[in-house]
Amino acid sequence: MNAHDKKYIVIWAVLLVAMGVSIALGEFVGNTAVVVTIFVIAAVKAWLVVAEFMHLRYEAPWLKWVLGGALLAVVAFLGGVTPDVAFHWSVIPPKVETPADAAVAVVKPLEPGDAERGGKVYGTYCVGCHMADGKGNGGTTAADFIGDPSRLGKTDEELLTSIAEGKTGTIGTMPPWKGALSAQQRVDVLAYVRATFGAK
Amino acid sequence: MSHSATLHHEEERTATGISTGKVAMWWFLASEVAIFGGLIMSYVVCRVAHPEWGEEAAHTISAAGAFNTIVLLTSSLFAVLAHSAATHGNMQKASNLLFATVGGGVVFLCVKAYEYHHEISEGFTPVSSLFWGFYFFMTGLHGVHVVAGMTALTWAALKARKNQAPWAVEYTGMYWHLVDVIWIFLFPLVYLAS
């Protein structure tokens, strides 16, 4: 076996060890520093493959810039979309309920659902699957509020639980929204759904 | 002109000091980086904005993803050893190693098919939610690249068996390494960050 082949096998072993470290760290993904570390490890692994297996380390500098240019385009794309997404989320900021919020809720009871405010919530969070017409693409991406009257035939309490906790049914899984939406927003969006798609 | 002389002539074709085929491969791979980079960055931005996707990502089978990472890393090793063998004029060994690389692709696709079957039977389809849409599109597009890579590698391996197209061993290997690199990022994105 020649020296090059030995080096390739050592690099392969390093890549496997790096993968093992990532998986071990994966147990602690709640921590931002850990998530960043996992992606730094991924970048190092990718660089090892590109530099050594694809020999880019040993090529002329201008050839490296062919790949570098594509990476710069990706970074520019990220820089371009991030402000848009940040703006979108600042219009109705994701709300995480803290103990302090719960205390406020006790002091200040929820207002009755406001369909107008609920419409904004629907247009941001629900429309992607339930669609603007409330039919969920004919009940394929989410519950069809119009075509299946049993959907809105449930009590407010049942529907608010589904919105807060999510639900897995025949169509698929609706994620839980209690992290992204406040209790008031959930009551509002239910008012909007009932007013817009409910039996008239 | 003998056959090997033709090969030699093809290998040396260049306008830049680097063989034209290799420059073309890098341009092509750079375009792949832009395609997957845009897709991955879109996912990252959405993922950061939707912390609740973590609960959905928890339904992916991490052990299968980890196993497939080992499969792809090992098949990449075979591909680079094939290139090394071709460089030393051992085209039969290069051919065998390329077939071993293709074998890695077969194992990868079988595991991926099992995962898709498991996820879809649990009710997670490409239209279940934005997370599952991203999941199936990113891994599906990657899977298409695995199939394309296996096709090119098989062709190069058959040529190498006849002592032909030594350049194809390197270029198809480069493509396979890129497929590996993309998976290196997809693995933590859809399996670990839950």
Side-chain angles (χ1 to χ4, degrees):
Chain A
M1 185 179 293
N2 64 53
H4 271 113
D5 289 4
K6 273 188 194 143
K7 185 174 79 172
Y8 294 140
I9 290 168
V10 168
I11 290 166
W12 169 76
V14 169
L15 289 168
L16 290 188
V17 170
M19 187 202 77
V21 172
S22 299
I23 292 170
L25 287 172
E27 299 296 317
F28 310 98
V29 284
N31 185 327
T32 309
V34 170
V35 174
V36 170
T37 309
I38 286 175
F39 286 102
V40 169
I41 291 174
V44 170
K45 283 162 74 183
W47 167 245
L48 272 175
V49 173
V50 170
E52 298 293 343
F53 285 4
M54 296 166 88
H55 313 109
L56 191 61
R57 237 183 99 185
Y58 310 99
E59 302 290 0
W62 67 265
L63 192 58
K64 293 174 185 164
W65 279 105
V66 173
L67 181 65
L71 289 173
L72 283 178
V74 171
V75 170
F77 170 79
L78 179 65
V81 294
T82 301
D84 281 348
V85 174
F87 173 77
H88 180 71
W89 284 83
S90 66
V91 176
I92 303 174
K95 180 143 178 66
V96 177
E97 260 176 51
T98 63
D101 291 331
V104 170
V106 171
V107 176
K108 196 176 125 215
L110 292 177
E111 296 169 30
D114 180 322
E116 197 176 319
R117 283 193 309 235
K120 287 183 189 154
V121 176
Y122 189 89
T124 306
Y125 296 89
C126 317
V127 73
C129 297
H130 286 284
M131 312 311 285
D133 62 5
K135 293 181 180 172
N137 280 322
T140 57
T141 55
D144 177 355
F145 300 133
I146 312 259
D148 181 356
S150 73
R151 294 290 186 183
L152 295 182
K154 298 180 179 122
T155 63
D156 282 1
E157 198 183 359
E158 278 180 279
L159 290 171
L160 284 171
T161 304
S162 296
I163 295 169
E165 307 295 337
K167 194 168 165 79
T168 299
T170 49
I171 299 168
T173 296
M174 175 162 93
W177 293 101
K178 63 185 173 191
L181 302 176
S182 69
Q184 184 64 54
Q185 285 177 310
R186 301 198 296 266
V187 172
D188 289 345
V189 79
L190 178 60
Y192 171 80
V193 168
R194 285 224 187 273
T196 315
F197 310 124
K200 296 286 191 307
Chain B
M1 191 189 285
S2 77
H3 192 69
S4 63
T6 311
L7 279 178
H8 186 73
H9 177 72
E10 278 182 26
E11 250 189 318
E12 294 298 313
R13 187 183 298 164
T14 178
T16 58
I18 301 173
S19 70
T20 306
K22 182 183 276 187
V23 175
M25 269 315 284
W26 274 111
W27 273 109
F28 171 51
L29 297 183
S31 75
E32 296 279 11
V33 166
I35 290 169
F36 276 97
L39 186 57
I40 286 172
M41 286 308 171
S42 303
Y43 172 77
V44 167
V45 168
C46 288
R47 181 72 184 75
V48 169
H50 289 271
E52 73 279 6
W53 285 15
E55 297 188 25
E56 298 186 81
H59 289 280
T60 56
I61 311 168
S62 303
F67 178 77
N68 260 351
T69 307
I70 296 172
V71 169
L72 277 194
L73 289 173
T74 308
S75 68
S76 255
L77 174 68
F78 292 150
V80 76
L81 291 178
H83 175 222
S84 178
T87 311
H88 292 90
N90 192 341
M91 294 300 283
Q92 296 309 308
K93 188 181 172 192
S95 175
N96 290 340
L97 284 162
L98 286 185
F99 277 123
T101 311
V102 173
V106 172
V107 173
F108 178 90
L109 288 178
C110 289
V111 173
K112 203 69 217 147
Y114 165 77
E115 287 180 71
Y116 280 173
H117 171 74
H118 178 79
E119 282 143 6
I120 291 170
S121 61
E122 288 214 325
F124 303 117
T125 68
V127 292
S128 294
S129 69
L130 200 50
F131 170 78
W132 289 104
F134 265 117
Y135 170 81
F136 281 104
F137 187 54
M138 291 195 300
T139 58
L141 187 62
H142 178 263
V144 168
H145 282 75
V146 170
V147 173
M150 286 162 65
T151 310
L153 286 163
T154 303
W155 178 83
L158 291 172
K159 282 280 187 188
R161 195 134 296 243
K162 290 185 260 176
N163 274 327
Q164 291 170 2
W167 47 269
V169 177
E170 179 177 15
Y171 300 164
T172 56
M174 283 166 69
Y175 183 82
W176 193 255
H177 296 315
L178 186 90
V179 170
D180 189 13
V181 166
I182 292 162
W183 185 258
I184 284 173
F185 287 104
L186 289 184
F187 173 60
L189 280 170
V190 301
Y191 293 96
L192 289 187
S194 48

